[in-house]
Amino acid sequence: LAVYASIVHPSHSYEDGEAVPLYANKLGPFSNPSETYEYYKLPFCAPKEEERKSEDLGEVLGGDRMVVTNYEIKFKVAVDSKPVCPPYKLDKDQVKAFQQAIQEDYYFEFFCDD
């Protein structure tokens, strides 16, 4: 799996410690960029309630499907490591889904402060 992250110029200035949103967008195989799926199609640890970003027409036409993630980013606050979610077990089908995504060289896309 590969990660593509886009940092967009903020529409406002952040205060130290202020939360910076991180959205998961889509995923799909590098070999076919027109084949895209929602990020949580794979069994990543998801927030308890799905919260979608309001998108403009260009984003919708581009196939964007931005959802809020469990990642907590605070402006100018360093973090060595921190669990994103509590430990959980994957069943056989979920493991197979991740294995297939790795074999097919899937990418996934995040947007920070969009």
Side-chain angles (χ1 to χ4, degrees), residues 11-85:
S11 58
H12 71 280
S13 297
Y14 283 94
E15 299 292 325
D16 291 0
E18 186 178 348
V20 179
L22 181 70
Y23 299 98
N25 188 19
K26 56 190 171 188
L27 54 87
F30 271 122
S31 62
N32 185 1
S34 63
E35 181 184 348
T36 61
Y37 304 98
E38 292 197 31
Y39 177 77
Y40 289 114
K41 174 190 182 285
L42 287 178
F44 292 109
C45 176
K48 291 183 185 205
E49 292 185 30
E50 183 180 278
E51 182 183 339
R52 293 191 172 271
K53 178 192 171 289
S54 176
E55 298 173 274
D56 62 34
L57 181 59
E59 291 169 329
V60 172
L61 294 175
D64 291 340
R65 304 168 180 95
M66 292 189 223
V67 293
V68 173
T69 65
N70 283 335
Y71 295 94
E72 292 180 19
I73 300 172
K74 304 270 185 190
F75 188 70
K76 293 175 75 174
V77 174
V79 178
D80 289 328
S81 67
K82 181 179 175 183
V84 175
C85 54

